[in-house]
């Protein structure tokens, strides 16, 4: 996922959660969260215990 795609998905998620004019679609919210999480998980994975 490119930086532009990541930002677009983040913006869509923000709109779904915060814009009162947009109908909340839980399936789309979870889908976006999964896609965004897939990109950020490697950086967030803790190091192995020593």
């Amino acid at each position: 996922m490119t930086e532009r795609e990541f930002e677009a998905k983040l913006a869509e998620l923000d709109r779904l959660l915060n814009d009162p004019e947009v109908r909340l679609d839980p399936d789309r919210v979870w889908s976006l969260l999964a896609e965004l999480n897939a990109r950020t998980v490697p950086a967030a994975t803790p190091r192995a215990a020593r």
Side-chain angles (χ1 to χ4, degrees), residues 37-48:
N37 188 48
R39 175 179 172 179
T40 58
V41 165
T45 304
R47 293 185 196 183

Side-chain angles (χ1 to χ4, degrees), residues 2-33:
T2 66
E3 188 67 28
R4 178 176 254 167
E5 290 169 330
F6 181 81
E7 293 295 329
K9 289 177 188 300
L10 202 55
E12 182 180 356
L13 180 61
D14 181 62
R15 190 173 53 256
L16 283 169
L17 294 173
N18 296 309
D19 186 344
E21 301 290 320
V22 176
R23 184 180 74 83
L24 182 62
D25 180 358
D27 290 332
R28 184 62 183 149
V29 169
W30 285 113
S31 175
L32 286 166
L33 286 171

